[in-house]
Amino acid sequence: MRSFISSFSVRVAAFVSILVATMAMSEVYCRYSSRFSDFSFYYIRYLTTVDATQAVLGDSHVGLEQLMPGYAFLGQPGQQPAELLLLVHYLYDRTPPHRVILEASPQWYGWYNWDREPLLTADSLPPNLLGFRPLILSRVYSRALADNLLADGMAAAGAIVARAHAEVLKPNPQEIGQAAAEWATAASAAGTRFDWSSFPADKRRLLTTSRVYDQNPVKDFETSEAATAYRKAIEFLIERGAQVCLFRTPVTADYLATEKLIADSRYEEFDRYIEKLAQSLSVRFIDFRQLPFEFDDSKFYNQDHMRFQAAVAVWPMVARSCFGS
């Protein structure tokens, strides 16, 4: 009997040891394999280590580049308000925030951000286990783990698997695709020297009109689930002690003009809504048009994203306008 128990204990110990070793090797693989270099993997991994005590949160208008000392920039392209709500809980359930600048732009409530599969979900964010957040417990990583291991195994073996009466109508997809391809080619060729003013004006108008239609807030956006999630995210940050400031991120002058010309435009509704929301929550709202900065086309990379050189000049202005220092 004792021999049986001893043998059983050894087997259990061996099984546990193998399980722990497998999980450890899988974790190392997830953290260091080039197979996990795409944005989704990088973003999840970054969230497990970032100090977000002072942060700027939003979508690609915010991005992930370090644009202002002392602040973490967490801007996931196409991020939805429901993802934002998950994110603030993930960052601040255990650690209280100090200052948070939150993007307050119309696309939060447009199909441009909504019409995509969320990246941040309850099971995509690694849980905190005694201060460590294992990537293998993230659904984003665990779903890809087996496929990536198989791909690496095959590579090692030598196998290669290769809007009716509007003044401005929405462009057709073919026109948009062609102009977007030309923009990508021009931007790639010029690199960091590229700016929006150097791209042909007719192509700029076409791509801007398309983006303004896509980012137009949907009907009844004020009472949508997205609006509820956005408000809850702000309320949570306030409850956790954060100084919160809302900021409408910069767009080109042509973008602002086109907002008034498209069919069923709800941009002015958004402007009234966001100011009312800020007042109701007693937080400051800053519109980029209030800043002492000239937002001409040369400051932009495309119709609604600043060039790096402009961004590093603008974000400190935002922080001073928000918090006074």
Side-chain angles (χ1 to χ4, degrees):
M1 183 67 175
R2 289 180 179 177
S3 176
F4 173 78
I5 294 175
S6 176
S7 176
F8 178 75
S9 299
V10 169
R11 292 177 181 178
V12 170
F15 173 77
V16 171
S17 298
I18 293 172
L19 181 61
V20 170
T22 300
M23 293 181 67
M25 288 187 292
S26 296
E27 182 67 21
V28 171
Y29 179 73
C30 286
R31 289 185 179 274
Y32 298 107
S33 171
S34 60
R35 297 281 180 183
F36 295 96
S37 60
D38 287 352
F39 176 84
S40 58
F41 301 119
Y42 171 79
Y43 188 50
I44 296 295
R45 186 168 65 248
Y46 185 50
L47 292 178
T48 67
T49 59
V50 68
D51 178 1
T53 306
Q54 296 194 145
V56 182
L57 309 180
D59 60 12
S60 61
H61 284 197
V62 170
L64 296 180
E65 287 190 273
Q66 178 60 44
L67 300 172
M68 179 170 56
Y71 284 78
F73 281 70
L74 298 173
Q76 170 201 336
Q79 182 163 250
Q80 303 170 28
E83 294 176 283
L84 175 68
L85 181 57
L86 279 171
L87 178 61
V88 297
H89 277 278
Y90 188 71
L91 295 173
Y92 305 121
D93 271 342
R94 293 173 178 241
T95 304
H98 178 41
R99 289 177 171 175
V100 177
I101 300 174
L102 190 61
E103 181 181 340
S105 297
Q107 64 263 29
W108 282 124
Y109 309 119
W111 285 115
Y112 185 82
N113 279 22
W114 290 6
D115 194 21
R116 51 172 288 277
E117 182 181 355
L119 168 60
L120 299 186
T121 61
D123 55 5
S124 70
L125 294 167
N128 189 324
L129 302 179
L130 301 176
F132 182 65
R133 301 178 186 270
L135 294 178
I136 57 172
L137 298 184
S138 161
R139 183 168 178 263
V140 173
Y141 275 85
S142 62
R143 283 194 309 179
L145 181 59
D147 289 343
N148 285 342
L149 283 169
L150 177 61
D152 275 342
M154 293 175 67
I160 302 175
V161 180
R163 153 191 349 172
H165 56 272
E167 294 183 41
V168 176
L169 299 176
K170 185 172 183 178
N172 67 59
Q174 291 75 22
E175 290 178 308
I176 298 169
Q178 179 62 36
E182 293 177 17
W183 170 84
T185 299
S188 177
T192 58
R193 294 177 290 106
F194 180 81
D195 70 73
W196 188 235
S197 67
S198 66
F199 198 57
D202 59 329
K203 302 290 177 33
R204 277 183 278 157
R205 285 192 294 271
L206 189 149
L207 290 175
T208 297
T209 300
S210 173
R211 185 66 58 87
V212 171
Y213 267 101
D214 287 342
Q215 296 186 340
N216 186 30
V218 300
K219 186 178 180 180
D220 299 324
F221 70 89
E222 304 98 323
T223 57
S224 66
E225 291 183 3
T228 299
Y230 188 71
R231 184 185 183 99
K232 285 183 176 180
I234 300 171
E235 291 173 336
F236 174 75
L237 289 169
I238 295 171
E239 290 170 5
R240 294 293 288 150
Q243 298 178 49
V244 178
C245 180
L246 308 185
F247 175 60
R248 180 171 179 185
T249 47
V251 294
T252 63
D254 192 28
Y255 186 110
L256 292 174
T258 306
E259 291 179 356
K260 300 176 176 63
L261 302 177
I262 67 168
D264 298 320
S265 176
R266 301 183 189 90
Y267 284 91
E268 290 186 355
E269 290 179 41
F270 173 81
D271 289 340
R272 293 191 294 270
Y273 156 82
I274 201 67
E275 289 188 7
K276 184 177 179 180
L277 177 65
Q279 291 171 1
S280 70
L281 294 171
S282 299
V283 299
R284 181 167 291 184
F285 167 64
I286 304 296
D287 190 300
F288 76 93
R289 289 164 284 193
Q290 300 171 267
L291 299 176
F293 190 84
E294 185 177 354
F295 289 98
D296 60 79
D297 280 3
S298 70
K299 307 301 195 304
F300 289 85
Y301 186 64
N302 61 13
Q303 60 273 61
D304 63 341
H305 290 82
M306 289 185 291
R307 299 175 66 205
F308 178 82
Q309 298 92 327
V312 296
V314 168
W315 281 109
M317 295 182 191
V318 177
R320 288 193 295 269
S321 296
C322 282
F323 308 118
S325 62

